[in-house]
Amino acid sequence: MAELASLVQRLEVAVSRLESVSGSGGSAGESAAVSVYVEAFDEIIQGPVAQYVSLSQKIGGDVQKHADMIKQGFSSQRQLLLTASTSQKPSDVVFTSLLQPMSKIIQQVQSFREQNRTSALFNHLSAVSESVPGLGWVAMAPKPGPYVRDMQDAAMFYTNRVLKEYKEKDKTHVDWVKAYLSIWTDLQSYIKQHHTTGLSWSKSGPVASASAAPAGGCPPPPPMPPPPSMDISQSSGGGGGGAADNRNALFASINKGGDITKGLRHVSDDKKTHKNPNLRGQAPVPAGPKPYCPPAPRPTATAASTLPPVLELDGKKWKVENHEGAENLVISETELKQVVYAFKCNKSTLQVKGKLNSITLGENIDLPAQVMGKVPTISINKTDGCHVYLSSDSLKCEIISAKSSEMNVLVPGKDGEFTELPVPEQFKTVWDGSKLVTTVTEIA
């Protein structure tokens, strides 16, 4: 069955290749030239990818489901390569839309692993989940090859566990490891030959458009206009100092203490509803017009949805801003005097290589970060859903957080497993007679 499935897959690839050549609209020589690296990529799909899928089907269960996602990811990447081979490079905005289908598959693979942490095949799922961002090499320039190698190294931590567990028990799992790792090995060789400094686009033909990507949903609606400004001073019942006068009068009344009740009128028993049943059926006395309450402001679009994504070095500062669903953000050339500021990023992964001074994560949502070496300081500001993976060399780093929630630090153990520890969000502050003393609450 596995051989038959492999044969069917090769036939599908061959038919797709013939259709792309016949529909290119150019000369025969031009079609052959632009499709050469698509054909080379087909060899990876027909070889190690097909073998990995076949062995995954043999293992079954969660591994097979994961393999189906990976197969879909490589099919999506082939579609992008086919577009690049016949089109000129588009703008960054269009290129981002072309990457969306592949980005969604990467997220799907990683989410599946997180949802199946109790799986008996969790090491298999982790090997795939940790390395699947390698599909994002198409957006890595000028060093896509080393990026894929790093993703392969991330997988080997878990594939070594699979080998240790099944080496003497089931050869199928050993062959599965070899087939999966060979995907990334062959992909590195492929990139070195055809895309050394980044994805190669055609120098002729039309500029690639967003319509070349499979449908991935409608674009976000335009931002709503801000609510009209209000003149608060007019509601205070006087001139510019009305609000201050009313506020002063309020505090003066409060400061009267027990004397504040002297101005109240006594209500006799015959006018109290709880002592006079005849008053309970009467309509309540109107209390005058309701005080004016300004309408709640309408939600406006966030800056991250309207501003272009940024990943650049500005002086000594690396700026990473406005990224949505970016699973392959990498900063590889760093110096000790540099700092990294990541702001307004959602469901994104940032990898920083080398040595630098500090990393600040601010105003982000669902942003995991992994430390591979040493880092002195990590600052987390205005961030919800942050997972920081520390290495054994970075356990002494200082983590400073403010206005953030759902912060978790994952610390590696001797067996290589990560222990997830929440960063406290609730504190208790008391006055000791000379200063304020703040401690973590027991519940935190």
Side-chain angles (χ1 to χ4, degrees), residues 119-172:
S119 172
L121 302 171
F122 182 70
N123 286 327
H124 298 67
L125 303 183
S126 296
V128 176
S129 177
E130 292 294 325
S131 54
V132 69
L135 286 172
W137 68 267
V138 290
M140 294 293 107
K143 298 179 180 180
Y147 173 73
V148 173
R149 183 180 65 245
D150 291 340
M151 294 300 101
Q152 183 183 26
D153 291 343
M156 291 180 67
F157 174 83
Y158 292 98
T159 55
N160 288 339
R161 288 187 168 188
V162 176
L163 293 175
K164 182 179 179 180
E165 182 178 358
Y166 290 96
K167 189 174 183 180
E168 306 296 334
K169 294 167 51 178
D170 191 340
K171 188 175 181 296
T172 302

Coordinates of all heavy atoms in Angstrom, one line a residue, residues 119-172:
S119 N 0.1 12.4 24.6 CA 0.2 11.4 23.6 C 1.4 10.5 23.9 O 2.5 10.9 24.4 CB 0.3 12.0 22.2 OG 0.6 11.0 21.3
A120 N 1.3 9.2 23.7 CA 2.4 8.2 23.8 C 3.5 8.5 22.8 O 4.6 8.1 23.0 CB 1.9 6.8 23.7
L121 N 3.1 9.2 21.8 CA 4.1 9.6 20.7 C 4.5 11.0 20.8 O 4.7 11.7 19.7 CB 3.5 9.2 19.3 CG 3.0 7.8 19.2 CD1 2.3 7.6 17.9 CD2 4.3 6.8 19.1
F122 N 4.5 11.6 22.0 CA 4.8 13.0 22.1 C 6.1 13.4 21.6 O 6.3 14.5 21.1 CB 4.6 13.4 23.6 CG 4.8 14.9 23.8 CD1 3.9 15.8 23.4 CD2 6.0 15.4 24.5 CE1 4.1 17.2 23.6 CE2 6.2 16.7 24.7 CZ 5.2 17.6 24.3
N123 N 7.1 12.6 21.8 CA 8.5 12.9 21.2 C 8.5 13.0 19.7 O 9.2 13.9 19.2 CB 9.5 11.8 21.7 CG 9.9 12.0 23.2 OD1 9.9 13.1 23.7 ND2 10.1 10.9 23.8
H124 N 7.7 12.2 19.1 CA 7.6 12.3 17.6 C 6.9 13.6 17.2 O 7.4 14.3 16.3 CB 6.7 11.1 17.1 CG 7.2 9.8 17.3 ND1 7.3 9.2 18.5 CD2 7.7 8.8 16.4 CE1 7.8 8.0 18.4 NE2 8.0 7.7 17.1
L125 N 5.8 13.9 17.9 CA 5.1 15.2 17.7 C 6.0 16.4 17.9 O 6.0 17.4 17.2 CB 3.9 15.3 18.5 CG 2.8 14.2 18.4 CD1 1.6 14.5 19.2 CD2 2.4 13.9 16.9
S126 N 6.8 16.3 19.0 CA 7.7 17.4 19.3 C 8.8 17.6 18.3 O 9.2 18.8 18.0 CB 8.3 17.2 20.7 OG 7.3 17.2 21.7
A127 N 9.4 16.5 17.8 CA 10.4 16.6 16.8 C 9.9 17.4 15.5 O 10.6 18.2 15.0 CB 10.9 15.2 16.4
V128 N 8.7 17.0 15.1 CA 8.1 17.7 14.0 C 7.7 19.1 14.3 O 8.0 20.0 13.5 CB 6.8 16.9 13.5 CG1 6.1 17.6 12.3 CG2 7.2 15.5 13.1
S129 N 7.1 19.4 15.4 CA 6.6 20.7 15.8 C 7.8 21.7 15.9 O 7.7 22.8 15.5 CB 5.9 20.6 17.1 OG 5.5 21.9 17.6
E130 N 8.9 21.2 16.5 CA 10.1 22.1 16.7 C 10.8 22.5 15.4 O 11.4 23.5 15.3 CB 11.1 21.5 17.7 CG 10.6 21.3 19.1 CD 10.4 22.7 19.8 OE1 11.1 23.6 19.5 OE2 9.4 22.8 20.6
S131 N 10.7 21.6 14.4 CA 11.4 21.9 13.2 C 10.6 22.4 12.0 O 11.1 22.8 11.0 CB 12.1 20.6 12.8 OG 11.2 19.5 12.7
V132 N 9.2 22.3 12.1 CA 8.4 22.7 11.0 C 8.5 24.1 10.6 O 8.3 24.5 9.4 CB 6.9 22.4 11.4 CG1 6.4 23.3 12.5 CG2 6.0 22.5 10.1
P133 N 9.0 25.1 11.5 CA 9.2 26.4 11.0 C 10.3 26.5 9.9 O 10.4 27.5 9.3 CB 9.7 27.2 12.3 CG 9.0 26.4 13.4 CD 9.1 25.0 13.0
G134 N 11.0 25.4 9.7 CA 12.0 25.3 8.6 C 11.4 25.6 7.3 O 12.0 26.0 6.3
L135 N 10.0 25.3 7.2 CA 9.4 25.6 5.9 C 9.4 27.1 5.6 O 9.1 27.5 4.5 CB 7.9 25.1 6.0 CG 7.7 23.6 5.9 CD1 6.2 23.3 6.2 CD2 8.1 23.1 4.5
G136 N 9.7 27.9 6.6 CA 9.7 29.4 6.4 C 11.0 29.9 5.8 O 11.2 31.1 5.7
W137 N 11.9 29.0 5.3 CA 13.1 29.4 4.7 C 12.9 30.3 3.5 O 13.8 31.1 3.2 CB 13.9 28.2 4.3 CG 13.3 27.4 3.1 CD1 12.5 26.3 3.2 CD2 13.5 27.7 1.7 NE1 12.1 25.9 1.9 CE2 12.7 26.7 1.0 CE3 14.2 28.6 1.0 CZ2 12.7 26.7 -0.4 CZ3 14.1 28.6 -0.4 CH2 13.4 27.6 -1.1
V138 N 11.7 30.2 2.9 CA 11.5 31.0 1.7 C 11.4 32.5 2.1 O 11.5 33.3 1.2 CB 10.1 30.6 1.1 CG1 10.2 29.2 0.4 CG2 9.0 30.6 2.1
A139 N 11.3 32.8 3.3 CA 11.3 34.2 3.7 C 12.6 34.6 4.4 O 12.7 35.8 4.9 CB 10.1 34.5 4.7
M140 N 13.5 33.7 4.5 CA 14.8 34.0 5.1 C 15.9 34.4 4.1 O 16.2 33.7 3.1 CB 15.3 32.8 5.8 CG 14.5 32.3 7.0 SD 14.5 33.5 8.4 CE 12.9 34.2 8.3
A141 N 16.4 35.6 4.2 CA 17.4 36.1 3.4 C 18.4 36.9 4.2 O 17.9 37.6 5.1 CB 16.8 37.0 2.2
P142 N 19.7 36.8 4.0 CA 20.3 36.1 2.9 C 20.8 34.7 3.3 O 21.6 34.1 2.5 CB 21.5 37.0 2.6 CG 21.9 37.5 4.0 CD 20.6 37.6 4.8
K143 N 20.4 34.1 4.4 CA 20.9 32.8 4.8 C 19.8 31.8 5.1 O 19.6 31.4 6.2 CB 21.8 32.9 6.0 CG 23.0 33.8 5.8 CD 23.8 34.0 7.1 CE 25.0 34.9 6.8 NZ 25.9 35.0 8.1
P144 N 19.1 31.4 4.0 CA 18.0 30.4 4.3 C 18.5 29.0 4.7 O 17.9 28.3 5.4 CB 17.2 30.4 2.9 CG 18.2 30.8 1.9 CD 19.1 31.8 2.6
G145 N 19.7 28.6 4.1 CA 20.2 27.3 4.4 C 20.5 27.1 5.8 O 20.1 26.1 6.5
P146 N 21.3 28.0 6.5 CA 21.6 27.9 7.9 C 20.4 27.9 8.8 O 20.4 27.2 9.8 CB 22.5 29.1 8.2 CG 23.2 29.4 6.9 CD 22.2 29.0 5.8
Y147 N 19.4 28.6 8.3 CA 18.1 28.6 9.1 C 17.5 27.2 9.1 O 17.0 26.8 10.2 CB 17.2 29.6 8.5 CG 15.8 29.6 9.1 CD1 15.6 30.1 10.4 CD2 14.7 29.0 8.4 CE1 14.3 30.1 10.9 CE2 13.4 29.0 9.0 CZ 13.2 29.5 10.3 OH 12.0 29.5 10.8
V148 N 17.5 26.5 8.0 CA 16.9 25.2 8.0 C 17.8 24.2 8.8 O 17.2 23.4 9.5 CB 16.8 24.7 6.5 CG1 16.4 23.2 6.5 CG2 15.9 25.5 5.7
R149 N 19.1 24.4 8.8 CA 19.9 23.6 9.6 C 19.6 23.8 11.1 O 19.6 22.8 11.9 CB 21.4 23.9 9.4 CG 22.4 23.0 10.2 CD 23.8 23.4 9.9 NE 24.2 24.7 10.4 CZ 24.5 25.7 9.6 NH1 24.6 25.6 8.3 NH2 24.8 26.9 10.1
D150 N 19.4 25.0 11.5 CA 19.0 25.2 12.9 C 17.7 24.5 13.3 O 17.5 24.0 14.4 CB 18.9 26.8 13.2 CG 20.2 27.5 13.1 OD1 21.2 26.8 13.2 OD2 20.2 28.7 12.9
M151 N 16.7 24.6 12.4 CA 15.5 23.9 12.6 C 15.7 22.4 12.7 O 15.0 21.7 13.5 CB 14.5 24.2 11.5 CG 14.0 25.7 11.5 SD 13.3 26.3 13.0 CE 14.6 27.2 13.8
Q152 N 16.6 21.8 11.9 CA 16.9 20.4 12.0 C 17.5 20.1 13.3 O 17.2 19.0 13.9 CB 17.8 20.0 10.8 CG 18.1 18.5 10.8 CD 19.0 18.1 9.7 OE1 19.8 19.0 9.2 NE2 19.0 16.9 9.2
D153 N 18.4 20.9 13.8 CA 19.0 20.7 15.1 C 18.0 20.7 16.2 O 18.1 19.9 17.2 CB 20.1 21.8 15.3 CG 21.3 21.6 14.4 OD1 21.5 20.6 13.8 OD2 22.0 22.6 14.3
A154 N 17.0 21.6 16.1 CA 15.9 21.6 17.1 C 15.2 20.3 17.1 O 14.7 19.8 18.2 CB 15.0 22.8 16.8
A155 N 15.0 19.7 16.0 CA 14.3 18.4 15.9 C 15.1 17.3 16.5 O 14.5 16.3 17.1 CB 13.9 18.0 14.5
M156 N 16.4 17.3 16.4 CA 17.2 16.2 16.8 C 17.2 15.9 18.3 O 17.5 14.8 18.8 CB 18.7 16.4 16.3 CG 18.8 16.3 14.8 SD 20.5 16.6 14.2 CE 21.3 15.1 14.9
F157 N 16.9 17.0 19.1 CA 16.7 16.8 20.5 C 15.7 15.7 20.8 O 15.9 14.9 21.7 CB 16.4 18.1 21.2 CG 16.1 18.0 22.7 CD1 17.1 18.0 23.6 CD2 14.8 17.9 23.1 CE1 16.9 17.9 25.0 CE2 14.5 17.8 24.5 CZ 15.6 17.8 25.4
Y158 N 14.6 15.7 20.1 CA 13.5 14.8 20.3 C 13.7 13.5 19.5 O 13.2 12.5 20.0 CB 12.2 15.5 20.0 CG 11.8 16.6 21.0 CD1 12.1 17.9 20.7 CD2 11.2 16.3 22.2 CE1 11.7 18.9 21.6 CE2 10.9 17.3 23.1 CZ 11.2 18.6 22.8 OH 10.9 19.6 23.7
T159 N 14.3 13.6 18.3 CA 14.5 12.4 17.6 C 15.5 11.5 18.3 O 15.3 10.2 18.2 CB 15.0 12.7 16.1 OG1 16.2 13.5 16.2 CG2 13.9 13.4 15.3
N160 N 16.4 12.0 19.0 CA 17.3 11.2 19.8 C 16.6 10.4 20.9 O 16.9 9.3 21.2 CB 18.4 12.1 20.4 CG 19.4 12.6 19.4 OD1 19.6 12.0 18.3 ND2 20.1 13.6 19.7
R161 N 15.5 11.1 21.4 CA 14.7 10.4 22.4 C 13.9 9.2 21.8 O 13.8 8.2 22.4 CB 13.7 11.4 23.0 CG 14.4 12.3 24.0 CD 13.3 13.1 24.7 NE 13.9 13.9 25.8 CZ 13.1 14.6 26.6 NH1 11.8 14.5 26.5 NH2 13.7 15.2 27.6
V162 N 13.4 9.5 20.5 CA 12.7 8.4 19.8 C 13.7 7.2 19.6 O 13.3 6.1 19.8 CB 12.1 8.9 18.5 CG1 11.5 7.8 17.7 CG2 11.1 10.1 18.8
L163 N 14.9 7.5 19.2 CA 15.9 6.5 18.9 C 16.2 5.7 20.2 O 16.3 4.5 20.2 CB 17.1 7.0 18.3 CG 17.0 7.7 16.9 CD1 18.3 8.3 16.5 CD2 16.6 6.6 15.9
K164 N 16.3 6.4 21.3 CA 16.6 5.8 22.5 C 15.5 4.8 23.0 O 15.8 3.8 23.5 CB 16.9 6.8 23.6 CG 17.3 6.3 25.0 CD 17.5 7.4 26.0 CE 17.9 6.8 27.3 NZ 18.2 7.9 28.3
E165 N 14.3 5.3 22.7 CA 13.1 4.5 23.2 C 12.8 3.3 22.3 O 12.4 2.2 22.8 CB 11.9 5.4 23.2 CG 10.6 4.7 23.8 CD 9.4 5.6 23.9 OE1 9.6 6.8 23.5 OE2 8.4 5.2 24.2
Y166 N 13.0 3.4 21.0 CA 12.6 2.4 20.1 C 13.8 1.6 19.4 O 13.5 0.7 18.6 CB 11.7 3.0 19.0 CG 10.4 3.4 19.5 CD1 10.2 4.8 19.9 CD2 9.3 2.5 19.6 CE1 8.9 5.2 20.4 CE2 8.1 3.0 20.1 CZ 7.9 4.3 20.5 OH 6.7 4.7 20.9
K167 N 15.0 2.0 19.7 CA 16.1 1.3 19.0 C 16.1 -0.2 19.1 O 16.4 -0.9 18.2 CB 17.4 1.9 19.6 CG 18.7 1.5 18.8 CD 19.9 2.2 19.3 CE 21.1 1.8 18.4 NZ 22.3 2.5 18.9
E168 N 15.7 -0.7 20.3 CA 15.7 -2.1 20.5 C 14.3 -2.7 20.4 O 14.1 -3.9 20.6 CB 16.3 -2.4 21.9 CG 17.7 -1.8 22.2 CD 18.7 -2.4 21.2 OE1 18.5 -3.6 20.8 OE2 19.7 -1.7 21.0
K169 N 13.3 -1.8 20.2 CA 11.9 -2.3 20.2 C 11.2 -2.4 18.8 O 10.6 -3.4 18.5 CB 11.1 -1.4 21.1 CG 11.5 -1.5 22.6 CD 10.9 -0.3 23.4 CE 9.4 -0.2 23.2 NZ 8.8 0.9 24.1
D170 N 11.4 -1.3 18.0 CA 10.7 -1.3 16.7 C 11.5 -0.5 15.7 O 11.7 0.7 15.9 CB 9.3 -0.6 17.0 CG 8.4 -0.7 15.8 OD1 8.9 -1.0 14.7 OD2 7.2 -0.5 15.9
K171 N 12.0 -1.2 14.7 CA 12.8 -0.5 13.7 C 12.1 0.5 12.9 O 12.7 1.4 12.3 CB 13.4 -1.6 12.8 CG 14.5 -1.1 11.8 CD 15.1 -2.2 11.0 CE 16.1 -1.7 10.0 NZ 15.6 -0.8 9.0
T172 N 10.7 0.4 12.8 CA 10.0 1.3 12.1 C 10.2 2.8 12.6 O 10.3 3.7 11.8 CB 8.5 1.0 12.1 OG1 8.3 -0.3 11.7 CG2 7.6 2.0 11.3

